[in-house]
Amino acid sequence: VSGSNESLQRAEELLERLRVRVDDLEAASQAGGDVDAAVDGLAEIAEIAKEIEAEIQRARQAADAGA
């Protein structure tokens, strides 16, 4: 279960990074930000989302192994 807790904690940290990145992107959008920067920001958000999904999957596997 410790492995699942670690994965969930990592997912929470990644979720906070995602929220910050989304907020940054929204602020840049409202300020008329650069389109290329927005595309880069979206790519980063997508990558963070994939990392969150992987951590959740690891947590599930760790929980199943401990069950």
Side-chain angles (χ1 to χ4, degrees), residues 15-60:
L15 182 58
E16 182 58 31
R17 270 185 54 203
L18 182 108
R19 287 181 181 138
V20 168
R21 196 62 191 107
V22 168
D23 289 346
D24 291 346
L25 189 61
E26 287 176 350
S29 171
Q30 291 175 357
D34 180 37
V35 172
D36 290 334
V39 170
D40 290 344
L42 287 172
E44 185 179 346
I45 288 168
E47 188 59 38
I48 295 170
K50 288 178 189 176
E51 291 179 45
I52 292 170
E53 184 177 4
E55 288 298 336
I56 291 171
Q57 185 62 31
R58 279 193 269 285
R60 283 185 182 141

Side-chain angles (χ1 to χ4, degrees), residues 3-11 14 49-65:
S4 76
N5 287 339
E6 290 172 12
S7 290
L8 289 175
Q9 182 178 357
R10 175 78 176 131
L14 288 165
K50 288 178 189 176
E51 291 179 45
I52 292 170
E53 184 177 4
E55 288 298 336
I56 291 171
Q57 185 62 31
R58 279 193 269 285
R60 283 185 182 141
Q61 289 171 348
D64 289 345

